[in-house]
């Protein structure tokens, strides 16, 4: 493969619009922003950016030529053609304010990504849960078929360690984020909606408004395109019905799927830390093997299979690629072990995700107990779903609930991790508001043969190695 062209002329030849040829990305270390930076750099654009602190993502970005500042200041802007921001960037950010003062175009990251999709056949994966895993599965399966798609994902593929890539093929696969409605910037020829379950009400306000944004999204499917929905999810199935009424072509997957072109799930069997899902599709039966545990992951694989077929890849090749899928960072990611205790990390931060993952973990634990260290994410989500979180966490044997990781939100009086902990039944429950004591408490709870999983969308991911180190210290394995 030839080296990418460099400079603004090279960037133009490789499909970078004028406004992105010298892009400055505020919060360049974030999952979405760093992916855009990777693609821009691979296409020959000049990229600068800033973030509040250094991160591992910067190593490869700097190696590709990005100029990155730690700390956000107006002087970091060196006459860029545009400034790219996410919803997390506040209006008072000094770089954003300087860009507006100087008349520099400001793009939302979804607008920037949409511009990079131009000229490609686009597949967008949406849904409350399963977006990252399904997008990743589709990407790996297409790569196995030697189609070399471009992709942008909200997590790092275990196969490549990257969250984005500029491919030489004519396909662009992207995770489509409904949290702020920004997925309405995309115009996919293939759209997947894995499920529709109320979330992000801090932005959308009501359940009806949250559902309505998916209706707007499916209207973005290009003429002649395809919508793929899970027929077993009530709201996704209803969305598919409304899409058909609007003249959009729809196929479904799941146990209830039975139409022409649908993929009907006949059975799911846990196997060797993963599973096999048997489906009926177009008059034939197929076994789709997935190396990651949980029925929900098997269903994600079926959605990826349908999308890949629509994109022109052979079913047999896609199935082989799905079997080789090694997972995504922070999706039941193995962190290590100490003696007979295995430690994993997972991004689950909604009650449905927590319940699905803990059911999968139960099988993976075998005869051992399941110990979970859970960190609630967002005060609004904790307040709204405290009871549902408690019911999901009750599937574990021992639960440590940390305090809320507020992210973009300010603390709300009375909303803490204890709101969840006091509602949990059926498990040993421990509320630990002091983050620096969590690893010690978790080490106190585990026994040989147990499986421990840290869970949440915040900095709880840091605890896995600390817990392993503490267990090693206690057993003299340092």
């Amino acid at each position: 493969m030839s080296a990418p062209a460099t400079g603004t002329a090279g960037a133009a030849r490789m499909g970078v619009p004028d406004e992105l040829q010298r892009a400055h990305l505020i919060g360049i270390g974030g999952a979405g922003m760093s992916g855009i930076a990777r693609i821009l750099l691979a296409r020959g654009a000049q990229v600068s950016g800033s973030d509040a602190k250094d991160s591992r993502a910067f190593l490869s970005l700097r190696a590709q030529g990005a100029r990155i500042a730690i700390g956000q200041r107006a002087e970091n802007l060196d006459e860029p053609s545009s400034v790219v921001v996410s919803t997390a960037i506040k209006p008072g950010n000094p770089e954003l304010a300087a860009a507006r003062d100087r008349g520099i175009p400001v793009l939302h990251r979804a607008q920037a990504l949409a511009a990079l999709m131009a000229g490609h056949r686009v597949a967008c994966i949406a849904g409350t849960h399963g977006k990252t895993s399904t997008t990743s599965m589709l990407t790996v399966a297409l790569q196995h078929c030697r189609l070399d798609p471009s992709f942008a994902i909200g997590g790092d593929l275990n196969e490549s360690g990257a969250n984005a890539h500029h491919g030489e093929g004519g396909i662009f696969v992207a995770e489509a984020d409904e949290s702020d409605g920004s997925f309405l910037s995309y115009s996919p020829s293939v759209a997947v909606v894995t499920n529709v379950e109320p979330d992000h009400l801090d932005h959308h306000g009501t359940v009806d408004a949250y559902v309505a944004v998916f209706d707007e999204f499916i209207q973005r499917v290009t003429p002649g395109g395809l919508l793929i929905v899970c027929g077993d999810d009530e709201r996704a199935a209803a969305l598919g019905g409304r899409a058909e009424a609007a003249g959009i072509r729809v196929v479904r997957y799941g146990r209830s799927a039975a139409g022409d072109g649908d993929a009907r799930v006949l059975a799911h069997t846990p196997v060797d830390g993963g599973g096999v899902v048997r489906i009926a599709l177009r008059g034939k039966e197929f076994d789709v093997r997935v190396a990651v545990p949980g029925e929900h992951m098997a269903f994600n694989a079926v959605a990826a299979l349908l999308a890949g077929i629509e994109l022109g890849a052979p079913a047999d090749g896609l199935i082989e690629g799905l079997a080789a899928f090694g997972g995504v960072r922070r999706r039941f990611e193995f962190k290590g072990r100490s003696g007979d205790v295995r430690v994993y990390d997972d991004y689950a931060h909604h009650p449905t995700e927590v319940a699905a993952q803990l059911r999968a973990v139960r099988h993976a634990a075998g005869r051992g107990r399941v110990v979970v260290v859970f960190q609630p994410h967002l005060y609004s989500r904790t307040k709204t779903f405290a009871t549902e979180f408690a019911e999901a966490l009750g599937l574990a044997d021992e639960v440590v609930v940390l305090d809320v990781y507020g992210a973009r939100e300010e603390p709300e009086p009375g909303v803490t991790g204890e709101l969840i902990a006091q509602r949990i039944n059926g498990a040993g429950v421990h509320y630990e508001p002091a983050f620096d004591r969590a690893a010690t408490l978790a080490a106190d709870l585990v026994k040989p043969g147990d499986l421990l999983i840290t869970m949440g969308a915040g900095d709880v991911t840091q605890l896995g190695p600390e817990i392993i180190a503490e267990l090693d210290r206690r057993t003299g394995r340092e």
Side-chain angles (χ1 to χ4, degrees):
M1 185 182 301
S2 60
T6 58
T8 55
R13 288 197 300 274
M14 296 186 69
V16 178
D18 290 346
E19 65 269 24
L20 289 173
Q21 290 186 13
R22 298 186 316 282
H24 180 85
L25 283 64
I26 305 177
I28 194 172
M33 299 291 269
S34 62
I36 291 171
R38 288 180 192 277
I39 295 172
L40 285 169
L41 289 163
R43 292 189 184 182
Q46 297 176 19
V47 174
S48 62
S50 64
D51 217 315
K53 58 182 179 181
D54 213 338
S55 80
R56 68 190 190 99
F58 296 162
L59 294 175
S60 61
L61 292 179
R62 285 180 172 129
Q64 288 180 267
R67 181 175 58 82
I68 300 174
I70 305 304
Q72 294 173 340
R73 299 173 295 276
E75 52 266 33
N76 290 336
L77 272 63
D78 186 18
E79 300 304 324
S81 56
S82 66
V83 168
V84 183
V85 299
S86 70
T87 305
I89 304 302
K90 305 298 183 185
N93 180 282
E95 294 178 12
L96 176 57
R100 295 197 187 283
D101 287 345
R102 290 156 57 178
I104 299 170
V106 175
L107 302 178
H108 188 278
R109 65 180 173 88
Q111 294 174 304
L113 188 58
L116 295 176
M117 292 174 177
H120 293 76
R121 193 167 185 206
V122 178
C124 285
I125 315 301
T128 311
H129 321 297
K131 294 184 291 291
T132 300
S133 295
T134 307
T135 310
S136 303
M137 288 175 173
L138 175 57
T139 298
V140 170
L142 291 172
Q143 288 174 332
H144 183 82
C145 296
R146 302 185 182 280
L147 294 178
D148 191 21
S150 297
F151 65 84
I153 307 173
D156 291 346
L157 287 176
N158 285 350
E159 282 78 6
S160 64
N163 61 344
H165 166 71
H166 165 64
E168 296 296 332
I171 295 171
F172 201 119
V173 179
E175 179 176 342
D177 182 13
E178 88 288 356
S179 66
D180 57 0
S182 61
F183 66 170
L184 299 180
S185 296
Y186 309 139
S187 297
S189 58
V190 181
V192 175
V193 177
T194 56
N195 40 60
V196 181
E197 188 171 348
D199 197 7
H200 305 293
L201 301 186
D202 56 316
H203 175 83
H204 294 285
T206 66
V207 174
D208 287 346
Y210 180 77
V211 172
V213 79
F214 281 92
D215 281 275
E216 293 183 65
F217 172 66
I218 63 172
Q219 296 301 323
R220 302 285 302 174
V221 175
T222 58
L226 176 69
L227 172 65
I228 300 167
V229 298
C230 180
D232 294 352
D233 181 84
E234 182 179 353
R235 289 188 178 92
L239 181 72
R242 294 192 296 274
E244 284 181 320
I248 300 170
R249 189 162 53 99
V250 177
V251 299
R252 297 166 177 81
Y253 62 97
R255 298 185 188 279
S256 62
D260 292 340
D262 289 356
R264 184 160 61 92
V265 173
L266 304 175
H268 172 256
T269 307
V271 177
D272 298 331
V276 175
V277 59
R278 188 163 188 80
I279 63 171
L281 175 65
R282 298 178 181 176
K284 298 181 179 180
E285 293 189 4
F286 298 88
D287 284 332
V288 182
R289 180 178 290 272
V290 184
V292 287
E295 185 177 82
H296 61 301
M297 286 294 191
F299 273 53
N300 292 341
V302 177
L305 173 64
L306 289 171
I309 291 172
E310 178 67 17
L311 291 167
D316 289 346
L318 292 166
I319 290 171
E320 289 178 2
L322 290 168
F325 172 70
V328 186
R329 193 174 73 87
R330 295 226 61 210
R331 272 65 176 181
F332 197 59
E333 180 186 5
F334 181 63
K335 304 300 290 186
R337 67 190 306 149
S338 178
D340 291 332
V341 176
R342 290 169 291 161
V343 178
Y344 290 80
D345 181 49
D346 196 86
Y347 191 68
H349 57 282
H350 183 281
T352 300
E353 296 169 350
V354 172
Q357 194 59 64
L358 287 179
R359 282 192 289 267
V361 168
R362 175 65 65 188
H363 176 77
R367 296 182 179 179
R369 300 180 311 152
V370 174
V371 180
V372 57
V373 181
F374 178 70
Q375 182 184 54
H377 184 261
L378 300 181
Y379 296 97
S380 58
R381 185 182 286 127
T382 301
K383 182 178 180 179
T384 301
F385 297 118
T387 299
E388 290 82 355
F389 274 124
E391 291 173 355
L393 291 166
L395 296 170
D397 297 294
E398 296 278 355
V399 181
V400 177
V401 181
L402 306 180
D403 246 338
V404 180
Y405 185 86
R408 60 185 178 270
E409 295 183 346
E410 295 298 323
E412 186 172 340
V415 180
T416 69
E418 190 172 19
L419 203 62
I420 296 171
Q422 64 190 10
R423 289 171 165 79
I424 298 174
N425 295 311
V429 182
H430 313 268
Y431 170 54
E432 179 50 80
F435 188 87
D436 60 356
R437 291 203 295 264
T440 300
L441 174 56
D444 290 340
L445 294 174
V446 295
K447 299 176 182 179
D450 286 354
L451 186 155
L452 183 144
I453 183 165
T454 56
M455 190 173 282
D459 55 3
V460 67
T461 186
Q462 300 172 9
L463 290 179
E466 293 183 25
I467 294 167
I468 294 169
E470 176 62 17
L471 290 170
D472 283 348
R473 185 188 66 78
R474 295 183 183 192
T475 55
R477 292 189 180 89
E478 292 180 299

